[in-house]
Amino acid sequence: MIPRTIARKGEGIVFIDQTLLPEHLEMVECTDLERLARAIRRLEVRGAPALGIAGAYGVAMAAMQSEAAEMEGFLAEAVNAAEFLRATRPTAVNLGWGIDRVLAAAGAAESVGAAKEAAVVEADRIAAEDEATCRAIGSHGAALIPDGARVLTHCNAGGLACSTWGTALGVVRSAVEAGKKVSVTACETRPLLQGGRLTAFELAEDGIPVRVITDSTAAFLMRKGEIDCVVVGADRITRDVAFNKIGTYMHAVCARHHGIPFYVAAPRSTFDQVLGEDEVEIEERDEEEIAVFNGRRTVREGVRCTNYAFDATPLDLVSGIITEEGVLRPPFDPMP
Ligand code: MRU
């Protein structure tokens, strides 16, 4: 089992630099907000629940470092830190959720000292809850996975995307823990290869059978009868769609075509009760992530690349949403 993806260390944070995996498992100690923001933008820390924890610890770190004597100045600094972190990545709702929980805890305190304490306690609570939440998602989801199942997943919704255990991979881990034989087909997940680099790494570390395919192989394997179900994570679930890593939607369409169950595993903190699909900003990342591969330019200079980080899967393609409270079944409208 790999170490916790992200944790508090004194007044700072320690996290796995996921850009170095699978070759190097390196922990980064971080005590400043700029560094944390860079880590989030570069995907050193990534995955919706881990972003929630990172946002929470980021605000707690700013709170601990504040030299303000009065609550007004202290809270203004905390809000600045919060908005700075919130702007790093727009799609995963958990980032803002973690940030807002810590802000609210600090804001309810009556002195700067108490607010600092409350911020740290709340951030630690968010990190601790994450493991319990993932375990609960895992045990609800494991019941849906038949013995011998060949599960397809996309991107990384594992321990590396949370504090530990994972959401989609938590379902796999819990099924294995329950004595089921399960194997995983991990889509490599162009362009940043979270499936090939991260999902395969963490499952192999746990001795869970895994193979990696190119994203475009998924439909072919479904047609050949080599996939029994699809389980993915989510960055935001609105009343109409589930946002997840770009490519998820095509797996959902293909799964429906082949009569294969398509599950989304996500904590309640990933649900957005306010916005609809068209109001959510889908992160667009640097064209270079597509145009340069392994240090080599693979797309002619000057040719435009479109690099959406996420897509939206209509909920009518989803067979079930696995949460820590149980499995939601269609129709999902209105979302409970
Ligand atoms: O760009 P990333 O790597 O942060 O995207 C992550 C995903 O799309 C995950 O599937 C999602 O955050 C769920 S993680 C439990």
PDB file of all heavy atoms in Angstrom, residues 299-323:
ATOM      1  N   VAL A 299       2.899  17.368 -32.881  1.00  0.00           N
ATOM      2  CA  VAL A 299       1.928  18.078 -33.719  1.00  0.00           C
ATOM      3  C   VAL A 299       2.668  19.265 -34.319  1.00  0.00           C
ATOM      4  O   VAL A 299       3.390  19.977 -33.605  1.00  0.00           O
ATOM      5  CB  VAL A 299       0.730  18.584 -32.877  1.00  0.00           C
ATOM      6  CG1 VAL A 299      -0.250  19.364 -33.747  1.00  0.00           C
ATOM      7  CG2 VAL A 299       0.019  17.415 -32.196  1.00  0.00           C
ATOM      8  N   ARG A 300       2.499  19.456 -35.611  1.00  0.00           N
ATOM      9  CA  ARG A 300       3.231  20.534 -36.306  1.00  0.00           C
ATOM     10  C   ARG A 300       3.022  21.870 -35.601  1.00  0.00           C
ATOM     11  O   ARG A 300       1.898  22.194 -35.195  1.00  0.00           O
ATOM     12  CB  ARG A 300       2.703  20.622 -37.746  1.00  0.00           C
ATOM     13  CG  ARG A 300       3.446  21.557 -38.653  1.00  0.00           C
ATOM     14  CD  ARG A 300       2.684  21.621 -39.996  1.00  0.00           C
ATOM     15  NE  ARG A 300       3.386  22.360 -40.990  1.00  0.00           N
ATOM     16  CZ  ARG A 300       3.388  23.691 -41.090  1.00  0.00           C
ATOM     17  NH1 ARG A 300       2.734  24.415 -40.185  1.00  0.00           N
ATOM     18  NH2 ARG A 300       4.042  24.294 -42.048  1.00  0.00           N
ATOM     19  N   GLU A 301       4.097  22.624 -35.445  1.00  0.00           N
ATOM     20  CA  GLU A 301       4.045  23.971 -34.846  1.00  0.00           C
ATOM     21  C   GLU A 301       2.955  24.787 -35.537  1.00  0.00           C
ATOM     22  O   GLU A 301       2.842  24.748 -36.765  1.00  0.00           O
ATOM     23  CB  GLU A 301       5.410  24.634 -35.052  1.00  0.00           C
ATOM     24  CG  GLU A 301       5.690  25.827 -34.169  1.00  0.00           C
ATOM     25  CD  GLU A 301       6.293  25.430 -32.829  1.00  0.00           C
ATOM     26  OE1 GLU A 301       7.293  24.667 -32.827  1.00  0.00           O
ATOM     27  OE2 GLU A 301       5.749  25.878 -31.817  1.00  0.00           O
ATOM     28  N   GLY A 302       2.146  25.455 -34.786  1.00  0.00           N
ATOM     29  CA  GLY A 302       1.125  26.322 -35.382  1.00  0.00           C
ATOM     30  C   GLY A 302      -0.243  25.647 -35.525  1.00  0.00           C
ATOM     31  O   GLY A 302      -1.241  26.318 -35.723  1.00  0.00           O
ATOM     32  N   VAL A 303      -0.291  24.310 -35.436  1.00  0.00           N
ATOM     33  CA  VAL A 303      -1.586  23.613 -35.525  1.00  0.00           C
ATOM     34  C   VAL A 303      -2.264  23.678 -34.155  1.00  0.00           C
ATOM     35  O   VAL A 303      -1.628  23.406 -33.132  1.00  0.00           O
ATOM     36  CB  VAL A 303      -1.404  22.134 -35.956  1.00  0.00           C
ATOM     37  CG1 VAL A 303      -2.725  21.381 -35.869  1.00  0.00           C
ATOM     38  CG2 VAL A 303      -0.828  22.052 -37.354  1.00  0.00           C
ATOM     39  N   ARG A 304      -3.541  24.036 -34.167  1.00  0.00           N
ATOM     40  CA  ARG A 304      -4.249  24.216 -32.902  1.00  0.00           C
ATOM     41  C   ARG A 304      -4.597  22.871 -32.259  1.00  0.00           C
ATOM     42  O   ARG A 304      -4.956  21.925 -32.940  1.00  0.00           O
ATOM     43  CB  ARG A 304      -5.538  24.985 -33.184  1.00  0.00           C
ATOM     44  CG  ARG A 304      -5.914  25.916 -32.070  1.00  0.00           C
ATOM     45  CD  ARG A 304      -7.200  26.648 -32.396  1.00  0.00           C
ATOM     46  NE  ARG A 304      -8.261  26.107 -31.575  1.00  0.00           N
ATOM     47  CZ  ARG A 304      -9.509  25.912 -31.969  1.00  0.00           C
ATOM     48  NH1 ARG A 304      -9.871  26.196 -33.187  1.00  0.00           N
ATOM     49  NH2 ARG A 304     -10.403  25.428 -31.148  1.00  0.00           N
ATOM     50  N   CYS A 305      -4.491  22.778 -30.946  1.00  0.00           N
ATOM     51  CA  CYS A 305      -4.950  21.592 -30.218  1.00  0.00           C
ATOM     52  C   CYS A 305      -6.004  22.049 -29.214  1.00  0.00           C
ATOM     53  O   CYS A 305      -5.879  23.128 -28.640  1.00  0.00           O
ATOM     54  CB  CYS A 305      -3.808  20.940 -29.440  1.00  0.00           C
ATOM     55  SG  CYS A 305      -2.423  20.434 -30.458  1.00  0.00           S
ATOM     56  N   THR A 306      -7.016  21.253 -29.005  1.00  0.00           N
ATOM     57  CA  THR A 306      -8.026  21.563 -27.989  1.00  0.00           C
ATOM     58  C   THR A 306      -7.882  20.557 -26.867  1.00  0.00           C
ATOM     59  O   THR A 306      -7.981  19.350 -27.097  1.00  0.00           O
ATOM     60  CB  THR A 306      -9.439  21.481 -28.601  1.00  0.00           C
ATOM     61  OG1 THR A 306      -9.500  22.412 -29.672  1.00  0.00           O
ATOM     62  CG2 THR A 306     -10.501  21.845 -27.569  1.00  0.00           C
ATOM     63  N   ASN A 307      -7.629  21.039 -25.672  1.00  0.00           N
ATOM     64  CA  ASN A 307      -7.262  20.145 -24.568  1.00  0.00           C
ATOM     65  C   ASN A 307      -8.221  20.296 -23.387  1.00  0.00           C
ATOM     66  O   ASN A 307      -7.854  20.838 -22.343  1.00  0.00           O
ATOM     67  CB  ASN A 307      -5.811  20.441 -24.152  1.00  0.00           C
ATOM     68  CG  ASN A 307      -5.279  19.451 -23.138  1.00  0.00           C
ATOM     69  OD1 ASN A 307      -5.887  18.410 -22.895  1.00  0.00           O
ATOM     70  ND2 ASN A 307      -4.139  19.769 -22.536  1.00  0.00           N
ATOM     71  N   TYR A 308      -9.447  19.824 -23.569  1.00  0.00           N
ATOM     72  CA  TYR A 308     -10.388  19.801 -22.445  1.00  0.00           C
ATOM     73  C   TYR A 308      -9.926  18.753 -21.441  1.00  0.00           C
ATOM     74  O   TYR A 308      -9.629  17.620 -21.826  1.00  0.00           O
ATOM     75  CB  TYR A 308     -11.791  19.415 -22.921  1.00  0.00           C
ATOM     76  CG  TYR A 308     -12.512  20.511 -23.654  1.00  0.00           C
ATOM     77  CD1 TYR A 308     -12.834  20.378 -24.997  1.00  0.00           C
ATOM     78  CD2 TYR A 308     -12.887  21.674 -22.993  1.00  0.00           C
ATOM     79  CE1 TYR A 308     -13.512  21.381 -25.672  1.00  0.00           C
ATOM     80  CE2 TYR A 308     -13.562  22.679 -23.657  1.00  0.00           C
ATOM     81  CZ  TYR A 308     -13.866  22.539 -24.992  1.00  0.00           C
ATOM     82  OH  TYR A 308     -14.528  23.515 -25.646  1.00  0.00           O
ATOM     83  N   ALA A 309      -9.924  19.105 -20.158  1.00  0.00           N
ATOM     84  CA  ALA A 309      -9.501  18.145 -19.133  1.00  0.00           C
ATOM     85  C   ALA A 309     -10.644  17.217 -18.722  1.00  0.00           C
ATOM     86  O   ALA A 309     -10.401  16.134 -18.192  1.00  0.00           O
ATOM     87  CB  ALA A 309      -8.960  18.884 -17.916  1.00  0.00           C
ATOM     88  N   PHE A 310     -11.883  17.650 -18.937  1.00  0.00           N
ATOM     89  CA  PHE A 310     -13.035  16.866 -18.464  1.00  0.00           C
ATOM     90  C   PHE A 310     -14.130  16.849 -19.527  1.00  0.00           C
ATOM     91  O   PHE A 310     -14.178  17.707 -20.400  1.00  0.00           O
ATOM     92  CB  PHE A 310     -13.589  17.481 -17.164  1.00  0.00           C
ATOM     93  CG  PHE A 310     -12.556  17.538 -16.070  1.00  0.00           C
ATOM     94  CD1 PHE A 310     -11.846  18.700 -15.819  1.00  0.00           C
ATOM     95  CD2 PHE A 310     -12.264  16.410 -15.322  1.00  0.00           C
ATOM     96  CE1 PHE A 310     -10.865  18.742 -14.842  1.00  0.00           C
ATOM     97  CE2 PHE A 310     -11.278  16.442 -14.339  1.00  0.00           C
ATOM     98  CZ  PHE A 310     -10.582  17.610 -14.097  1.00  0.00           C
ATOM     99  N   ASP A 311     -15.031  15.879 -19.401  1.00  0.00           N
ATOM    100  CA  ASP A 311     -16.256  15.910 -20.197  1.00  0.00           C
ATOM    101  C   ASP A 311     -17.440  15.632 -19.289  1.00  0.00           C
ATOM    102  O   ASP A 311     -17.280  15.402 -18.082  1.00  0.00           O
ATOM    103  CB  ASP A 311     -16.184  14.962 -21.417  1.00  0.00           C
ATOM    104  CG  ASP A 311     -16.024  13.492 -21.057  1.00  0.00           C
ATOM    105  OD1 ASP A 311     -16.392  13.102 -19.923  1.00  0.00           O
ATOM    106  OD2 ASP A 311     -15.543  12.718 -21.915  1.00  0.00           O
ATOM    107  N   ALA A 312     -18.632  15.671 -19.871  1.00  0.00           N
ATOM    108  CA  ALA A 312     -19.852  15.515 -19.082  1.00  0.00           C
ATOM    109  C   ALA A 312     -20.634  14.324 -19.616  1.00  0.00           C
ATOM    110  O   ALA A 312     -20.898  14.242 -20.811  1.00  0.00           O
ATOM    111  CB  ALA A 312     -20.694  16.786 -19.190  1.00  0.00           C
ATOM    112  N   THR A 313     -20.967  13.407 -18.716  1.00  0.00           N
ATOM    113  CA  THR A 313     -21.749  12.226 -19.098  1.00  0.00           C
ATOM    114  C   THR A 313     -23.182  12.411 -18.621  1.00  0.00           C
ATOM    115  O   THR A 313     -23.416  12.548 -17.409  1.00  0.00           O
ATOM    116  CB  THR A 313     -21.145  10.952 -18.447  1.00  0.00           C
ATOM    117  OG1 THR A 313     -19.821  10.775 -18.943  1.00  0.00           O
ATOM    118  CG2 THR A 313     -21.974   9.723 -18.754  1.00  0.00           C
ATOM    119  N   PRO A 314     -24.149  12.431 -19.531  1.00  0.00           N
ATOM    120  CA  PRO A 314     -25.551  12.569 -19.105  1.00  0.00           C
ATOM    121  C   PRO A 314     -25.919  11.431 -18.149  1.00  0.00           C
ATOM    122  O   PRO A 314     -25.546  10.273 -18.373  1.00  0.00           O
ATOM    123  CB  PRO A 314     -26.329  12.461 -20.414  1.00  0.00           C
ATOM    124  CG  PRO A 314     -25.340  12.750 -21.491  1.00  0.00           C
ATOM    125  CD  PRO A 314     -24.005  12.326 -20.984  1.00  0.00           C
ATOM    126  N   LEU A 315     -26.677  11.768 -17.109  1.00  0.00           N
ATOM    127  CA  LEU A 315     -26.961  10.760 -16.088  1.00  0.00           C
ATOM    128  C   LEU A 315     -27.836   9.631 -16.607  1.00  0.00           C
ATOM    129  O   LEU A 315     -27.894   8.565 -15.990  1.00  0.00           O
ATOM    130  CB  LEU A 315     -27.588  11.420 -14.852  1.00  0.00           C
ATOM    131  CG  LEU A 315     -26.654  12.382 -14.083  1.00  0.00           C
ATOM    132  CD1 LEU A 315     -27.341  12.880 -12.819  1.00  0.00           C
ATOM    133  CD2 LEU A 315     -25.322  11.727 -13.738  1.00  0.00           C
ATOM    134  N   ASP A 316     -28.511   9.840 -17.758  1.00  0.00           N
ATOM    135  CA  ASP A 316     -29.321   8.719 -18.245  1.00  0.00           C
ATOM    136  C   ASP A 316     -28.456   7.588 -18.811  1.00  0.00           C
ATOM    137  O   ASP A 316     -28.967   6.514 -19.144  1.00  0.00           O
ATOM    138  CB  ASP A 316     -30.418   9.180 -19.228  1.00  0.00           C
ATOM    139  CG  ASP A 316     -29.872   9.897 -20.441  1.00  0.00           C
ATOM    140  OD1 ASP A 316     -28.637   9.840 -20.656  1.00  0.00           O
ATOM    141  OD2 ASP A 316     -30.659  10.499 -21.185  1.00  0.00           O
ATOM    142  N   LEU A 317     -27.141   7.818 -18.907  1.00  0.00           N
ATOM    143  CA  LEU A 317     -26.241   6.723 -19.306  1.00  0.00           C
ATOM    144  C   LEU A 317     -25.646   6.005 -18.091  1.00  0.00           C
ATOM    145  O   LEU A 317     -24.854   5.073 -18.236  1.00  0.00           O
ATOM    146  CB  LEU A 317     -25.096   7.272 -20.171  1.00  0.00           C
ATOM    147  CG  LEU A 317     -25.488   7.829 -21.545  1.00  0.00           C
ATOM    148  CD1 LEU A 317     -24.261   8.422 -22.247  1.00  0.00           C
ATOM    149  CD2 LEU A 317     -26.101   6.726 -22.410  1.00  0.00           C
ATOM    150  N   VAL A 318     -25.999   6.481 -16.884  1.00  0.00           N
ATOM    151  CA  VAL A 318     -25.369   5.961 -15.657  1.00  0.00           C
ATOM    152  C   VAL A 318     -26.294   4.928 -14.996  1.00  0.00           C
ATOM    153  O   VAL A 318     -27.460   5.206 -14.741  1.00  0.00           O
ATOM    154  CB  VAL A 318     -25.068   7.132 -14.697  1.00  0.00           C
ATOM    155  CG1 VAL A 318     -24.524   6.625 -13.365  1.00  0.00           C
ATOM    156  CG2 VAL A 318     -24.076   8.108 -15.350  1.00  0.00           C
ATOM    157  N   SER A 319     -25.748   3.740 -14.714  1.00  0.00           N
ATOM    158  CA  SER A 319     -26.563   2.672 -14.107  1.00  0.00           C
ATOM    159  C   SER A 319     -26.731   2.870 -12.616  1.00  0.00           C
ATOM    160  O   SER A 319     -27.699   2.380 -12.018  1.00  0.00           O
ATOM    161  CB  SER A 319     -25.908   1.309 -14.335  1.00  0.00           C
ATOM    162  OG  SER A 319     -25.448   1.189 -15.647  1.00  0.00           O
ATOM    163  N   GLY A 320     -25.769   3.545 -11.974  1.00  0.00           N
ATOM    164  CA  GLY A 320     -25.862   3.774 -10.539  1.00  0.00           C
ATOM    165  C   GLY A 320     -24.769   4.731 -10.099  1.00  0.00           C
ATOM    166  O   GLY A 320     -23.688   4.757 -10.704  1.00  0.00           O
ATOM    167  N   ILE A 321     -25.073   5.548  -9.094  1.00  0.00           N
ATOM    168  CA  ILE A 321     -24.039   6.419  -8.507  1.00  0.00           C
ATOM    169  C   ILE A 321     -23.755   5.866  -7.121  1.00  0.00           C
ATOM    170  O   ILE A 321     -24.657   5.800  -6.260  1.00  0.00           O
ATOM    171  CB  ILE A 321     -24.504   7.890  -8.423  1.00  0.00           C
ATOM    172  CG1 ILE A 321     -24.938   8.401  -9.804  1.00  0.00           C
ATOM    173  CG2 ILE A 321     -23.381   8.762  -7.859  1.00  0.00           C
ATOM    174  CD1 ILE A 321     -25.480   9.839  -9.798  1.00  0.00           C
ATOM    175  N   ILE A 322     -22.514   5.439  -6.922  1.00  0.00           N
ATOM    176  CA  ILE A 322     -22.147   4.791  -5.662  1.00  0.00           C
ATOM    177  C   ILE A 322     -21.608   5.858  -4.710  1.00  0.00           C
ATOM    178  O   ILE A 322     -20.562   6.465  -4.974  1.00  0.00           O
ATOM    179  CB  ILE A 322     -21.071   3.706  -5.906  1.00  0.00           C
ATOM    180  CG1 ILE A 322     -21.519   2.730  -7.004  1.00  0.00           C
ATOM    181  CG2 ILE A 322     -20.754   2.966  -4.608  1.00  0.00           C
ATOM    182  CD1 ILE A 322     -20.391   1.900  -7.600  1.00  0.00           C
ATOM    183  N   THR A 323     -22.326   6.127  -3.641  1.00  0.00           N
ATOM    184  CA  THR A 323     -21.891   7.133  -2.659  1.00  0.00           C
ATOM    185  C   THR A 323     -21.634   6.435  -1.323  1.00  0.00           C
ATOM    186  O   THR A 323     -21.919   5.244  -1.165  1.00  0.00           O
ATOM    187  CB  THR A 323     -22.970   8.212  -2.434  1.00  0.00           C
ATOM    188  OG1 THR A 323     -23.991   7.671  -1.595  1.00  0.00           O
ATOM    189  CG2 THR A 323     -23.595   8.693  -3.742  1.00  0.00           C
TER     190      THR A 323
END
